[in-house]
């Protein structure tokens, strides 16, 4: 009985704390995800603590049109990113079916881009990706399919976008990778991760994109 | 289910195959061909409406061995390779063939394992 009460109190306090956090977040801002670090610096003679958030580093990949795409492409944009490969028989078709919904929800919005990285860049050349995009009915440059140096793609995936992507002989298609859709803001901070294989995850992302975009409408 | 008592053995088996086939289709095929069998844009071909539904031997071979060819389905061209499903047993292939041919083709009875077995022994190499 006592333990029950204690557990109940802990639960109650936790919920309360979460509730308060939510209330403080009057702007309904999305969290900044990933590891963070702190540095001390001096402002006006006072020592203040500065938070260093996980930030997507500079990158350089090649898109389905053969153009080099770097972080400059998403300057002043928010973007959604994921990892896939064109010959994947398992979750990729599902992810692409869901991503199409995200694409259509914001089609033509100059503030939103989609970057899909291939984790099988040796096979997925720009030409292969071009055909894939065309078959998906994607034109223009709002949704780019990226290929490039394999190590670089895996590195940015694992270290910065916090997703799993690796070669695995035993897996169908030869790779295991995450089904996550990752939402990145204009400061290149990760602001949300969603299960791209589910309708719930996709709808949450579509709603959160709106929330994030409205942060910039001041 | 209610009518179990009065169904012929053949009908019962057809239903079993259909239900099993539906599960297997959902697991192995629907990611690309979709639950409704309509395929996905120009990436993956539809099954519903496809002429291949009337060629069960070919169907069994494609399910088991995949395919690598440019095909025309319902007037649209598809050339993306389909991966093999080597782990499927003969009965599982028979169940999937049953499901797709009853669901989207003109069949009403199940496809026998023996038929699948002999089809698979004679698949053309690609």
């Amino acid at each position: 009985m006592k333990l029950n009460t204690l557990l109940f109190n802990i639960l109650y306090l936790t919920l309360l704390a979460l509730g308060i956090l939510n209330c403080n977040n009057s702007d309904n801002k999305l969290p900044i995800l990933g590891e963070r670090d702190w540095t001390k610096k001096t402002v006006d003679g006072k020592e203040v603590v500065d938070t260093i958030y996980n930030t997507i580093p500079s990158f350089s990949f090649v898109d389905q049109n053969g153009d080099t795409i770097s972080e400059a492409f998403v300057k002043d944009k928010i973007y959604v990113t994921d990892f896939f490969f064109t010959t994947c028989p398992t979750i990729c078709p599902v992810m692409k079916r869901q991503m199409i919904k995200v694409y259509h929800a914001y089609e033509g919005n100059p503030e939103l881009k989609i970057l899909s990285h291939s984790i099988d860049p040796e096979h997925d050349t720009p030409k292969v990706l071009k055909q894939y995009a065309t078959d998906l009915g994607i034109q223009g440059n709002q949704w780019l399919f990226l290929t490039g140096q394999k190590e670089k793609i895996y590195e940015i995936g694992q270290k910065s976008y916090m997703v799993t992507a690796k070669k695995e002989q035993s897996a169908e298609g030869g790779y295991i990778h995450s089904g996550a859709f990752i939402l990145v803001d204009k400061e290149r901070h990760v602001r949300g991760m969603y299960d791209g294989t589910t309708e719930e995850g996709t709808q949450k992302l579509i709603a959160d994109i709106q929330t994030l975009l409205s942060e910039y409408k001041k | 289910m209610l009518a179990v008592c009065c169904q012929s053995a053949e009908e019962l088996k057809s239903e079993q195959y259909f239900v099993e086939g539906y599960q297997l289709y959902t697991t192995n095929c629907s990611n690309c061909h979709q639950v409704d069998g309509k395929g996905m844009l120009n990436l993956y071909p539809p099954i519903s409406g496809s002429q291949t539904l009337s060629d069960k031997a070919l169907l069994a071979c494609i399910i088991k061995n995949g395919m690598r060819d440019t095909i025309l389905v319902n007037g649209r061209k598809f050339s993306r390779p389909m991966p093999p499903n080597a782990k499927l047993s003969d009965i599982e292939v028979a169940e999937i063939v049953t499901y797709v041919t009853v669901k989207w083709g003109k069949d009403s009875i199940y496809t026998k394992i023996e038929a699948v077995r002999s089809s698979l022994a004679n698949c053309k190499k690609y």
Side-chain angles (χ1 to χ4, degrees):
Chain A
M1 196 64 190
K2 267 203 175 140
L3 186 65
N4 273 346
T5 318
L6 182 65
L7 283 176
F8 177 79
N9 280 340
I10 291 172
L11 183 68
Y12 182 73
L13 286 173
T14 312
L15 287 174
L16 197 66
L18 288 172
I20 286 169
L21 285 173
N22 277 337
C23 290
N24 283 347
N25 251 339
S26 55
D27 293 340
N28 196 18
K29 275 193 170 180
L30 303 175
I32 296 176
L33 305 180
E35 280 182 33
R36 53 187 67 176
D37 206 353
W38 290 270
T39 57
K40 285 186 177 142
K41 64 175 183 184
T42 312
V43 178
D44 298 333
K46 276 186 198 165
E47 196 173 72
V48 293
V49 176
D50 215 16
T51 311
I52 304 168
Y53 294 104
N54 172 41
T55 306
I56 308 302
S58 303
F59 56 84
S60 179
F61 298 120
V62 178
D63 72 6
Q64 72 266 35
N65 303 310
D67 294 330
T68 300
I69 298 299
S70 74
E71 70 284 355
F73 179 75
V74 285
K75 188 174 187 291
D76 296 322
K77 323 257 181 232
I78 70 169
Y79 66 99
V80 178
T81 193
D82 70 350
F83 292 80
F84 83 113
F85 56 108
T86 61
T87 53
C88 155
T90 51
I91 58 174
C92 311
V94 181
M95 290 170 73
K96 289 294 160 280
R97 187 182 69 209
Q98 295 303 109
M99 191 68 98
I100 286 174
K101 295 178 187 171
V102 179
Y103 173 75
H104 286 309
Y106 293 94
E107 198 171 351
N109 187 323
E111 276 186 289
L112 180 85
K113 297 286 182 189
I114 302 175
L115 303 180
S116 287
H117 302 75
S118 170
I119 57 167
D120 185 12
E122 285 129 8
H123 176 270
D124 292 341
T125 58
K127 187 169 169 244
V128 170
L129 292 173
K130 178 76 186 175
Q131 186 62 49
Y132 191 82
T134 306
D135 288 347
L136 269 178
I138 308 303
Q139 280 155 354
N141 73 349
Q142 188 174 13
W143 185 352
L144 296 185
F145 297 84
L146 303 178
T147 181
Q149 241 184 303
K150 195 166 196 163
E151 304 75 49
K152 294 286 178 199
I153 293 172
Y154 283 48
E155 187 185 345
I156 202 167
Q158 280 165 358
K159 286 195 185 155
S160 305
Y161 294 119
M162 304 173 280
V163 295
T164 331
K166 61 179 174 186
K167 218 175 169 118
E168 174 64 59
Q169 287 304 340
S170 64
E172 263 182 274
Y175 295 89
I176 49 169
H177 66 104
S178 138
F181 290 162
I182 303 125
L183 178 60
V184 183
D185 70 13
K186 294 184 181 180
E187 287 70 43
R188 303 215 303 275
H189 297 142
V190 174
R191 302 296 293 275
M193 300 195 60
Y194 309 84
D195 184 350
T197 63
T198 66
E199 184 63 21
E200 299 75 53
T202 308
Q203 292 306 325
K204 178 87 168 63
L205 170 59
I206 289 173
D208 280 2
I209 289 172
Q210 196 56 55
T211 308
L212 185 55
L213 282 174
S214 59
E215 268 184 33
Y216 296 101
K217 289 199 177 77
K218 289 286 149 69
Chain B
M1 197 90 91
L2 292 172
V4 166
C5 67
C6 316
Q7 282 176 321
S8 69
E10 186 124 291
E11 280 172 344
L12 188 62
K13 206 146 193 188
S14 295
E15 244 173 59
Q16 278 174 353
Y17 272 51
F18 185 85
V19 171
E20 291 291 328
Y22 165 72
Q23 309 273 8
L24 289 163
Y25 177 86
T26 305
T27 312
N28 295 285
C29 320
S30 72
N31 278 351
C32 296
H33 297 290
Q34 306 299 311
V35 174
D36 61 12
K38 289 188 177 149
M40 187 168 154
L41 301 154
N42 288 323
L43 273 185
Y44 310 114
I47 294 173
S48 99
S50 165
Q51 286 190 346
T52 310
L53 285 172
S54 56
D55 185 347
K56 290 187 182 185
L58 177 59
L59 214 47
C61 291
I62 296 172
I63 292 168
K64 179 87 171 186
N65 303 331
M67 80 180 297
R68 207 171 272 274
D69 201 357
T70 296
I71 53 169
L72 208 61
V73 185
N74 302 349
R76 283 187 293 152
K77 214 167 86 175
F78 296 89
S79 48
R80 215 161 284 282
M82 169 171 153
N85 295 285
K87 67 182 188 312
L88 292 177
S89 63
D90 292 348
I91 185 168
E92 288 174 321
V93 173
E95 286 164 341
I96 296 173
V97 172
T98 301
Y99 177 70
V100 299
T101 54
V102 171
K103 178 88 178 167
W104 295 300
K106 292 191 177 76
D107 272 37
S108 55
I109 50 164
Y110 75 104
T111 300
K112 295 190 171 60
I113 306 178
E114 296 74 35
V116 163
R117 203 167 279 152
S118 75
S119 304
L120 289 179
N122 295 299
C123 290
K124 93 173 165 49
K125 296 271 177 282
Y126 57 79

